[in-house]
Amino acid sequence: MSYKPANKIQDLQYFGEFGGVNPSISDSSTYTFLSAKTMFDTFEGDADGCYLYSRHSTPSNLYLGEALAAMEDTETANVAASGMGAITPVLLQLCEAGDHIVSSRTIYGGTYAFLKNFTPRLGISTSFVDITNLEKVAAAITPKTKVLYCESVSNPLLEIADLEALSALSRKHNLKLVVDNTFSPLSITPVKHGADIVIHSLTKFINGSSDTVGGVVCGSQEFIDQLRNVNDGASMLLGSTMDSLRASSVLKNLRTLHIRMKQHSHNALYLATQFQADGLRTVYPGLISHPSHEVFKRMMNEEYGFGGMLTIDVGSLDKANALMELMQERNLGYLAVSLGFYKTLFSAPGTSTSSEIPEEEQVEMGLTDGLIRFSVGLDNDIERTYQEMKKCMYEVGVFETAAVI
Ligand SMILES: *Cc1c(COP(=O)(O)O)cnc(C)c1O
């Protein structure tokens, strides 16, 4: 795979109003028109390049969108105030009452809750399937199905979606393949493997400093125009707009994403390899033991690695909690949800980010009590971090009860 998304970001060139090296921030919520006719045309969607009102678009948001579209190799993109603020309008734009969605069952807890508890109120139903089992995915498709929804690397179980196979299926049934690529920016370029629409929570790796929420939808000009349509566009009408100041700060962070991803991936592969050698049940797409290691390898833009997320199973929730508290006390990372920070973040997904998923379903999908999800940080000396983590594991008795391979 020769696609180099970081090159595409680097090649963009913007200047500020006074020749500044960063684009000027558009500090306005509304825009003047030189003629009344242009205002009318803009509302009708006929005046390209005119700004109307900042819920629709702003120069700062368009710069960020353009950079993210370059990264994901789509025609264009629309940024949003959060990842959920990107996901929910996409699904509501594509589906109406009576329609059906086939979704991976291991997805972000908020997306799961939206599909399970909220969209049924609007007459939209969802079947949740094991996305790695193509027969089950195919069997769930009905004449009412409009969308096939998955995460390229799933939260929190790190299952890998075989996007080529899923896109063949979605083309056959005339569905839209919508992929949340939050866990694998740069590493995987979903449209290269047939995705129609790619979504990110910018809150995570892309912004990378855990100081804001944000989201983006990358897709065709036609679809993004639909989302932004003043009369019936879900992004425009639901109103989860990113602020211009924030768009400009996310754009600045995006420029270092490739360096950060390489370090996240390097550190995560190191820890995963060591944890597995210690006999802990470790899930990381870069390990040959991962059931979809080959699928990831086939899709990946190699230089960015297998990403910064890994899980281990320490046998019980009590051990998981004790370990996380001790690791935090020793300053090896923070007991916090979210991901993509310079510090390692760890949490027990069954009782936090995936607590929306009922317990029986958690068991069925392999989301065990002792599971700890790590977003591995940018540590300069990961060997030292590993040695310190191992000491913590001995102290809380992980090796006595851990699910060993
Ligand atoms: C965090 C996350 C979201 C939601 O994003 P917010 O910015 O918190 O709204 C969606 N999908 C995935 C995979 C996530 O990790």
Side-chain angles (χ1 to χ4, degrees), residues 213-245:
V213 286
V216 69
V217 182
C218 303
S220 66
Q221 188 71 51
E222 186 189 2
F223 182 66
I224 299 299
D225 285 348
Q226 283 172 19
L227 281 176
R228 281 206 282 248
N229 188 294
V230 292
N231 292 309
D232 60 5
S235 292
M236 179 67 184
L237 299 177
L238 294 171
S240 91
T241 307
M242 178 176 270
D243 183 72
S244 288
L245 271 166

Side-chain angles (χ1 to χ4, degrees), residues 299-369:
M299 292 192 289
M300 79 192 289
N301 300 318
E302 219 167 293
E303 60 186 313
Y304 312 104
F306 292 91
M309 304 302 294
L310 67 88
T311 70
I312 56 172
D313 189 336
V314 297
S316 73
L317 182 60
D318 287 346
K319 288 262 161 78
N321 288 342
L323 178 62
M324 291 189 294
E325 285 170 11
L326 189 59
M327 287 192 298
Q328 175 162 262
E329 201 179 300
R330 304 270 162 89
N331 198 17
L332 300 173
Y334 296 143
L335 205 182
V337 299
S338 200
L339 41 134
F341 199 38
Y342 81 102
K343 278 269 194 187
T344 296
L345 303 178
F346 29 78
S347 58
T351 52
S352 61
T353 50
S354 296
S355 57
E356 294 91 340
I357 302 171
E359 233 174 279
E360 345 45 280
E361 288 175 42
Q362 290 194 17
V363 171
E364 206 196 307
M365 62 178 68
L367 217 169
T368 49
D369 270 356

Side-chain angles (χ1 to χ4, degrees), residues 139-370:
I141 297 169
T142 76
K144 301 270 187 202
T145 309
K146 290 282 162 61
V147 170
L148 185 50
Y149 186 91
C150 67
E151 295 172 0
S152 25
V153 177
S154 81
N155 179 33
L157 294 174
L158 311 182
E159 290 174 347
I160 312 301
D162 183 342
L163 297 177
E164 250 133 59
L166 293 168
S167 81
L169 205 54
S170 79
R171 265 161 234 284
K172 185 171 154 204
H173 296 274
N174 202 20
L175 316 178
K176 291 280 183 230
L177 178 59
V178 180
V179 179
D180 178 338
N181 198 30
T182 301
F183 274 36
S184 45
L186 300 179
S187 295
I188 297 177
T189 307
V191 295
K192 292 282 184 201
H193 312 286
D196 296 296
I197 295 160
V198 181
I199 299 176
H200 284 277
S201 165
L202 303 176
T203 315
K204 316 296 171 54
F205 289 106
I206 291 180
N207 185 59
S209 47
S210 291
D211 56 359
T212 186
V213 286
V216 69
V217 182
C218 303
S220 66
Q221 188 71 51
E222 186 189 2
F223 182 66
I224 299 299
D225 285 348
Q226 283 172 19
L227 281 176
R228 281 206 282 248
N229 188 294
V230 292
N231 292 309
D232 60 5
S235 292
M236 179 67 184
L237 299 177
L238 294 171
S240 91
T241 307
M242 178 176 270
D243 183 72
S244 288
L245 271 166
R246 199 43 100 173
S248 87
S249 77
V250 176
L251 178 63
K252 284 177 272 189
N253 287 2
L254 176 66
R255 295 172 182 152
T256 58
L257 178 64
H258 58 298
I259 304 169
R260 290 184 279 114
M261 285 317 296
K262 287 176 194 178
Q263 188 71 10
H264 284 301
S265 291
H266 171 268
N267 287 353
L269 179 62
Y270 181 85
L271 286 184
T273 306
Q274 298 296 332
F275 289 157
Q276 180 168 265
D278 289 337
L280 292 170
R281 197 197 292 154
T282 308
V283 176
Y284 181 65
L287 295 175
I288 295 164
S289 61
H290 191 290
S292 302
H293 174 67
E294 289 302 324
V295 177
F296 196 117
K297 258 176 78 174
R298 221 183 323 122
M299 292 192 289
M300 79 192 289
N301 300 318
E302 219 167 293
E303 60 186 313
Y304 312 104
F306 292 91
M309 304 302 294
L310 67 88
T311 70
I312 56 172
D313 189 336
V314 297
S316 73
L317 182 60
D318 287 346
K319 288 262 161 78
N321 288 342
L323 178 62
M324 291 189 294
E325 285 170 11
L326 189 59
M327 287 192 298
Q328 175 162 262
E329 201 179 300
R330 304 270 162 89
N331 198 17
L332 300 173
Y334 296 143
L335 205 182
V337 299
S338 200
L339 41 134
F341 199 38
Y342 81 102
K343 278 269 194 187
T344 296
L345 303 178
F346 29 78
S347 58
T351 52
S352 61
T353 50
S354 296
S355 57
E356 294 91 340
I357 302 171
E359 233 174 279
E360 345 45 280
E361 288 175 42
Q362 290 194 17
V363 171
E364 206 196 307
M365 62 178 68
L367 217 169
T368 49
D369 270 356

